[in-house]
Structure formats: structure tokens, C-alpha cells
């Protein structure tokens, strides 16, 4: 939140000799706990420098939207990429937390009646249901701006050029040419603005923007903090883009097959709404095969780092094997 607040507890580094003994789910949970602590501190009631007041209702609704749920995969990718490269874990944690806040803001707005109209998210009422639509709009706005405040704060990243790259990258990934533009294409695919038919390439483009851009930037953020070379960043971008595509296909499969209880939200809505998915275009077996292919792309992209990239390889496999 501000440069006067304490640094987050560092994510403890783990040698490769112990990696095989420690399951991926435990690594993910450890980083998630650290991210949760960081976000709790950023969403407290204390007024920071430059702030006049923190309205209690707004803060309560923001905490409802962000805390106590989610796998925190996006900050995990930032932290683990930076860790692999030997970069600052505190810097990667802050950058990843910024991405997570953008992700949470997108969920708040996506759940609203004008968008996907969902009543449940992560097993609890969505923000517009727990509060009201006006509050939900403002929660999304506030989470987005808080994300950029954190990413731009020199407390976590003293190098001004890296901060500038992080802010620029997050803006591009989340904005009109990324997540927001992809959301508009998703609504277009439903026929909201007139008849339309998306082929496989159109569907891939929409998903790369709506979901993939933010996931890919999570990896890029870790690369920036870790001081990756231009060639290394290109390889990690290939990894991130393939991971984002695999994540969305796996999500579409889960929407067809998983229960609402497992997902913590309604399922089967995408098909009912006529949303464009690769499950529709390729079938379930074809979609699963594409997920497997994309995992192979991810593994090839990080092959140069050998054992140091084991966690990123595990993240790709987790993305397509998850059950919620």
C-alpha cells in the first residue's frame, strides 16, 4: 500500500535437492499463505500517505472480494519465475500481488448481472450479492488502482526501470488489448451485439486476451524482477502464453464436468450462454489433447533451466490436471 509499511515476510528459498520431497500443492499453498498475508496488510483500515480516508464499507467489500479464497496461481508464477532466476522474492511477491488484485477486480465485475450474472464465487456470495451493484463496481475500480499502486511502489522494487516495465506490462495485459478487450470479445461471441460465429482461431485470440494475457504477464513479471535477458524473457513468454491457453481450456472442461460444489460457483453456464470455447470447437477429447500439447510447449520453453525450472513444469501440469 505505501512505502512506510513493513516488508512482507520473504518466501523461503528451497534447494532443488528438496524439491522432489515437497509436493507442488504444498509449494503453491506456502506462497498463497504469504500472498494472503501481504494482501491482508494492504487491505487494512489504516489510512496511508496520500489518502484522505478509507470508507469502511468499501474496505469490507474489497476484503470480501480478495481474501480467503483462490489458489493465487498468478503471484505464484511471478515468485517462482523470479526464484528460478535468482531475483528478489519480495519484489516478485509484490508484483504478483498486483496481478492478483487485477484478477480479483475482473472477477467482481465479471460476476455482475450485466456480464456473467453469477451469485457465487469461491463458495461465497459474489460482491454484488453480498453488498450491492454500485459497491461492486467501486470495489473493482479500487482493486485495480491499488494493484498499480503496489506495483509502482519503490518499497518492493527499488529499480525505477523495472517498476516502469512492470506497470507498462500490467497495463497492457489487463487493458483494451488484453483482459478487458478479451472480455468484450467474449460477450460478442454470446451474440450480445448481433449474430456472430467464431472459428478456432477467433476463439484462441479471445481466450489469449481474456485469460492468457494476465497469466503470461505473471511469468513475465517474475522474469523482469529476476533480471532475465531478452532471450530468456522470450522463452518465458512462450511458456506463459501456452500456460494461459492451457488454463482456459482446462477451465472450459471443468465448466462442463465439475460440480458447482467443487468449483465454488455455478457450472454449465458457458454452454447455456453460447460462449465460445475450444471444447465446443474440438470436443472434450480434442480439448484434452490440446492441453497435453500445450504442457509440452511449456516444458520445452523452460528446458534451458534444467532442474531449476521443475516448479514451472509442475505448474503447467497442475494447470491441466486441477479439479477446481
Amino acid at each position: 500500500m505505501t512505502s512506510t509499511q513493513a516488508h512482507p515476510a520473504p518466501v523461503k528459498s528451497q534447494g532443488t535437492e528438496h524439491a522432489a520431497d515437497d509436493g507442488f500443492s504444498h509449494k503453491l499453498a506456502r506462497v498463497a499463505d504469504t500472498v494472503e498475508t501481504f494482501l491482508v496488510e494492504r487491505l487494512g483500515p489504516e489510512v496511508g500517505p496520500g489518502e484522505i480516508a478509507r470508507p469502511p464499507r468499501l474496505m469490507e467489500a474489497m476484503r470480501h472480494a480478495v481474501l480467503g479464497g483462490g489458489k493465487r496461481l498468478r503471484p505464484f508464477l511471478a515468485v517462482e519465475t523470479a526464484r528460478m532466476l535468482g531475483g528478489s522474492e519480495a519484489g516478485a511477491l509484490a508484483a504478483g500481488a498486483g496481478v492478483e488484485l487485477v484478477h480479483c477486480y475482473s472477477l467482481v465485475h465479471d460476476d455482475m448481472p450485466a456480464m456473467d450474472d453469477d451469485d457465487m464465487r469461491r463458495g461465497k456470495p459474489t460482491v454484488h450479492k453480498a453488498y450491492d451493484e454500485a459497491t461492486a463496481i467501486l470495489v473493482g475500480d479500487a482493486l485495480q488502482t491499488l494493484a498499480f499502486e503496489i506495483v509502482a511502489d519503490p518499497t518492493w522494487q527499488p529499480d525505477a526501470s523495472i517498476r516502469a516495465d512492470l506497470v507498462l506490462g500490467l497495463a497492457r495485459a489487463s487493458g483494451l488489448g488484453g483482459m478487458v478487450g478479451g472480455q468484450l470479445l467474449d460477450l460478442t461471441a454470446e451474440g450480445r451485439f448481433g449474430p456472430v460465429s467464431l472459428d478456432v482461431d477467433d476463439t484462441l485470440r479471445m481466450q489469449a486476451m481474456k485469460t492468457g494475457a494476465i497469466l503470461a504477464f505473471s511469468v513475465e513479471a517474475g522474469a523482469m524482477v529476476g533480471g532475465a535477458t531478452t532471450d530468456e524473457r522470450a522463452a518465458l513468454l512462450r511458456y506463459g502464453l501456452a500456460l494461459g491457453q492451457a488454463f482456459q481450456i482446462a477451465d472450459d472442461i471443468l465448466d462442463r464436468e465439475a460440480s458447482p460444489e467443487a468449483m465454488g460457483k455455478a457450472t454449465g453456464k458457458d454452454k447455456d450462454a453460447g460462449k465460445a470455447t475450444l471444447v465446443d470447437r474440438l470436443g472434450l477429447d480434442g480439448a484434452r489433447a490440446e492441453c497435453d500439447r500445450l504442457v509440452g510447449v511449456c516444458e520445452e520453453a523452460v528446458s534451458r533451466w534444467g532442474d531449476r525450472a521443475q516448479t514451472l513444469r509442475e505448474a503447467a501440469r497442475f494447470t491441466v490436471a486441477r479439479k477446481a
Side-chain angles (χ1 to χ4, degrees), residues 247-271:
F247 183 96
Q248 183 59 62
I249 297 171
D251 219 41
D252 294 338
I253 293 171
L254 286 169
D255 186 69
R256 298 292 179 87
E257 296 189 328
S259 67
E261 292 75 22
M263 294 293 285
K265 62 179 182 178
T267 56
K269 293 187 65 180
D270 288 353
K271 184 175 182 180

Side-chain angles (χ1 to χ4, degrees), residues 35 39 66 69-75 95-105 122 147 214:
V35 172
L39 293 174
V66 173
K71 292 175 284 292
R72 312 301 190 196
L73 178 61
R74 291 155 189 83
V99 178
E100 185 71 7
L101 289 176
V102 167
H103 173 59
C104 291
Y105 120 68
R122 296 171 175 170
I214 285 289

